[in-house]
Amino acid sequence: ALRQSEERFRGLVKLSSDWYWEQDAEFRFRAVTGDTRNLLGIDRLEGLRRWEIPGIEPTREDWRVHRATLEAHRPFRDFEYEYTDRGGVRHFLSVSGEPLFDAQGRFTGYRGTGKDITTRVRADLMQHLEHTIAAELASAENEIAGTVEVMRTICQVDRWDCARYAEFDAQRGMLRFIASWGRSEEHTSELQSR
């Protein structure tokens, strides 16, 4: 009966999530199931806290709120965060968890499930990007201004520092610089000098 119950539990976890995880009272992973090694590109999560996973930037306000939830030993649902793998590709994850307590009511850690939501988030970002770019092009004063706004939007969505646009000059047989956008003047002037 115990084996059947465990098999049912594992089956439900597989249907509802990409992986199951457990953490100790210090929020360090002590068990993780599923294909997280390939997903995160690291060999071992055990012993790490979620915000210590390589490629995660736990400085945003949502991480502060998440950590306060954990320290208050409250359940949480669909906490979404992102990480950048070794190749520079952004991935998006969603985790849900509940606190664990022993028979005396002492907090012993968390358990929960997680999903890779990269495909959905990227689709949402692309749809937003399409609408924003269409609106920017429609309201631009001229072609160059529209091009700069499109570069700005794409850079902000993908967190690039700068972009430039060039056209091929057939008479000279070379690319001719047309426009650029950068997060700072330094980025913009560096692009224009190349």
Side-chain angles (χ1 to χ4, degrees), residues 165-178:
Y165 174 70
E167 289 180 352
F168 183 68
D169 185 334
Q171 282 185 321
R172 295 183 179 170
M174 60 191 297
L175 289 175
R176 188 169 54 92
F177 172 80
I178 303 295

Side-chain angles (χ1 to χ4, degrees), residues 173-192:
M174 60 191 297
L175 289 175
R176 188 169 54 92
F177 172 80
I178 303 295
S180 67
W181 178 88
R183 290 188 189 280
S184 69
E185 189 64 39
E186 178 184 334
H187 290 119
T188 306
S189 48
E190 181 183 335
L191 281 177
Q192 291 173 355

Side-chain angles (χ1 to χ4, degrees), residues 6 9-10 13 19-34 36 44-50 53 70 76 95-100 107-114:
E6 200 170 300
F9 170 75
R10 290 182 194 280
V13 168
W19 69 88
Y20 171 81
W21 54 269
E22 292 180 3
Q23 293 174 325
D24 64 19
E26 299 298 317
F27 316 119
R28 293 181 297 248
F29 288 105
R30 61 180 176 211
V32 181
T33 66
T36 54
R44 210 176 151 78
L45 280 177
E46 286 82 355
L48 294 177
R49 293 171 180 89
R50 184 168 291 112
I53 297 171
L70 296 178
F76 61 92
V95 291
S96 298
E98 64 180 13
L100 300 170
F107 173 71
T108 60
Y110 270 88
R111 69 176 167 205
T113 58

Side-chain angles (χ1 to χ4, degrees), residues 10 33-34 37 42 52 61 69 81 93 115 117 144 148 182:
R10 290 182 194 280
T33 66
R37 180 179 15 217
I42 60 174
E52 295 172 340
E61 174 66 12
T69 298
Y81 62 98
L93 308 174
K115 293 181 186 182
I117 58 170
I144 299 299
V148 170

Side-chain angles (χ1 to χ4, degrees), residues 147-182:
T147 301
V148 170
E149 283 305 301
V150 168
M151 287 189 290
R152 179 191 58 77
T153 301
I154 292 171
C155 287
Q156 288 176 341
V157 166
D158 279 330
R159 295 186 178 167
W160 296 339
D161 290 328
C162 51
R164 72 175 163 186
Y165 174 70
E167 289 180 352
F168 183 68
D169 185 334
Q171 282 185 321
R172 295 183 179 170
M174 60 191 297
L175 289 175
R176 188 169 54 92
F177 172 80
I178 303 295
S180 67
W181 178 88

Side-chain angles (χ1 to χ4, degrees), residues 81-168:
Y81 62 98
E82 65 183 88
Y83 79 97
T84 305
D85 68 19
R86 292 177 184 155
V89 177
R90 288 166 64 201
H91 300 268
F92 300 87
L93 308 174
S94 174
V95 291
S96 298
E98 64 180 13
L100 300 170
F101 300 93
D102 65 15
Q104 287 74 40
R106 290 183 298 243
F107 173 71
T108 60
Y110 270 88
R111 69 176 167 205
T113 58
K115 293 181 186 182
D116 179 355
I117 58 170
T118 303
T119 302
R120 177 184 60 81
V121 171
R122 290 298 293 173
D124 291 347
L125 283 172
M126 288 302 110
Q127 185 176 28
H128 169 72
L129 194 59
E130 287 174 14
H131 292 297
T132 303
I133 287 173
E136 287 169 348
L137 290 174
S139 64
E141 291 179 24
N142 56 49
E143 188 177 308
I144 299 299
T147 301
V148 170
E149 283 305 301
V150 168
M151 287 189 290
R152 179 191 58 77
T153 301
I154 292 171
C155 287
Q156 288 176 341
V157 166
D158 279 330
R159 295 186 178 167
W160 296 339
D161 290 328
C162 51
R164 72 175 163 186
Y165 174 70
E167 289 180 352
F168 183 68

